[in-house]
Amino acid sequence: MRAFASSADLTDKTQTLEIVGEGVYALTAEGDPNVGAVEADDFLICFEAMATPAAARQWLERLREHTDKPVRYLVLSHYHAVRVLGASAFAADVIVAHENTRFLIEERGLQDWESEYGRMPRLFKDPGSIPGLTRPTLTFTETVRIDLGRGRFLELRHLGRGHTEGDIVAWLPDQRILFAGDLVEAQAALYTGDAFHREWSTTTLDRVAALGAATLIGGRGAVTCDVPAAIGQTRDFLEVMLREVGTVHRRSGTLKEAFEAAHAALAPRYGRWPIFEHCLPFNVSRLWDELDGVERPIIWTAERDRAVWNQLQS
């Protein structure tokens, strides 16, 4: 059996800080979760928080080589522990998230924390530095606009359910730069264990594409200027899963058979991309539930993680 999830991935990844536009920064790390920041005239907006305050402080040290403006807003694109638990390091005046993300934190925050720590221990640098669950101080349902000064603004938008039910993107229309969160990945496999596959692969990605971004920072992978290709890769991954798992489900096959069919169809194109083997058992399990009519994702616990992994990767 393969080592559980990413528990054996203990090698540090090389981080790359890119200036992708005027006052726009992105930190990528060979398939680890991406983070970013946008400069306003007299403050910063940071996008994503990392898994622990210790990890977030390392990112902020890199950012401080370019700007010393205070962090006014910390934007959480969605709720997963590796995206939010480092929030305290930013000392932000306002923590922004979708209203559904607030609900998810209360509903399953502790279980998700334990689950992701077990799956991806390397990302949790100094886990003792986490003071507790991160809760947003400003939530919304559709759009929030932040004035950056000099006629510029940043829009936070909810474009539909996808990776979770609370995904938001950060859109800079004057520079056509989009922080897409985990709604789009650039040469990194998708995690869909808390997803809404049919909505994500259709209307949600259609709305992402309709923005017409020239530069995209996805949840993982490199910054890309080939935005249609990144959206297309994300859509194709979802459509292949829907086709393969759906075929097995319709003939009353087993979850194990669905996993094997999805793996065989996806691996030739995506199998060498970051976190593919880690994510696929959880992806197929969630999609199977969705096809069974389970509307909202079942909460992942450390125990459930292991049971699904052992069932499908054995």
Side-chain angles (χ1 to χ4, degrees):
M1 186 183 298
R2 295 178 182 273
F4 174 65
S6 291
S7 61
D9 179 10
L10 302 177
T11 303
D12 287 340
K13 302 298 188 286
T14 299
Q15 295 184 335
T16 302
L17 176 59
E18 298 183 48
I19 302 175
V20 298
E22 181 185 355
V24 183
Y25 306 91
L27 188 75
T28 64
E30 300 182 296
D32 276 0
N34 296 336
V35 294
V38 176
E39 283 191 71
D41 280 355
D42 57 0
F43 62 87
L44 286 172
I45 303 163
C46 287
F47 193 73
E48 312 288 26
M50 293 196 158
T52 69
R57 281 192 287 271
Q58 290 184 333
W59 149 232
L60 288 168
E61 287 172 4
R62 297 283 300 275
L63 184 59
R64 291 306 180 203
E65 296 172 5
H66 300 273
T67 175
D68 61 358
K69 294 174 183 176
V71 179
R72 181 172 297 175
Y73 297 94
L74 173 62
V75 177
L76 307 177
S77 71
H78 64 282
Y79 181 71
H80 278 133
V82 296
R83 295 294 193 187
V84 306
L85 292 178
S88 62
F90 294 81
D93 296 331
V94 182
I95 300 175
V96 190
H98 192 270
E99 181 62 30
N100 289 342
T101 295
R102 183 208 297 271
F103 177 80
L104 289 169
I105 291 168
E106 300 303 334
E107 179 190 47
R108 59 187 69 194
L110 288 174
Q111 296 97 322
D112 188 85
W113 180 348
E114 294 170 355
S115 165
E116 294 204 7
Y117 182 50
R119 294 186 195 182
M120 297 172 280
R122 179 177 53 78
L123 297 182
F124 285 80
K125 180 180 178 61
D126 187 10
S129 67
I130 303 170
L133 290 174
T134 296
R135 291 174 171 84
T137 58
L138 171 65
T139 61
F140 66 98
T141 57
E142 294 183 5
T143 304
V144 166
R145 177 179 286 195
I146 300 174
D147 186 352
L148 303 177
R150 293 178 288 134
R152 303 170 301 132
F153 59 88
L154 173 73
E155 283 189 351
L156 305 177
R157 297 189 183 187
H158 175 63
L159 300 177
R161 298 184 303 181
H163 177 70
T164 72
E165 61 195 273
D167 298 285
I168 60 177
V169 302
W171 171 232
L172 289 158
D174 61 323
Q175 300 188 68
R176 295 175 58 206
I177 295 172
L178 180 68
F179 287 91
D182 281 333
L183 285 177
V184 181
E185 311 287 13
Q187 297 190 6
L190 305 187
Y191 175 65
T192 73
D194 294 303
F196 297 79
H197 294 79
R198 288 168 287 199
E199 188 173 336
W200 186 0
S201 65
T202 55
T203 56
T204 300
L205 284 179
D206 288 346
R207 291 173 186 142
V208 173
L211 291 173
T215 304
L216 182 143
I217 302 94
R220 295 173 183 262
V223 175
T224 182
C225 293
D226 192 350
V227 178
I231 295 172
Q233 171 246 300
T234 302
R235 196 190 302 269
D236 179 69
F237 194 106
L238 293 165
E239 289 177 344
V240 171
M241 283 188 59
L242 283 160
R243 182 187 72 230
E244 297 297 330
V245 177
T247 296
V248 176
H249 190 271
R250 284 190 295 274
R251 66 172 173 78
S252 300
T254 66
L255 179 63
K256 175 76 168 178
E257 290 170 337
F259 171 77
E260 291 171 347
H263 192 285
L266 289 165
R269 182 176 182 187
Y270 304 110
R272 294 185 180 275
W273 288 7
I275 69 171
F276 175 80
E277 297 292 351
H278 167 166
C279 293
L280 196 61
F282 309 117
N283 295 354
V284 172
S285 179
R286 164 54 188 158
L287 178 52
W288 190 265
D289 288 342
E290 199 172 359
L291 295 172
D292 272 344
V294 179
E295 172 63 13
R296 298 186 63 249
I298 297 171
I299 296 172
W300 290 104
T301 65
E303 294 75 21
R304 181 173 177 237
D305 288 354
R306 292 280 181 172
V308 168
W309 184 269
N310 291 341
Q311 179 185 2
L312 299 185
Q313 287 284 30
S314 62

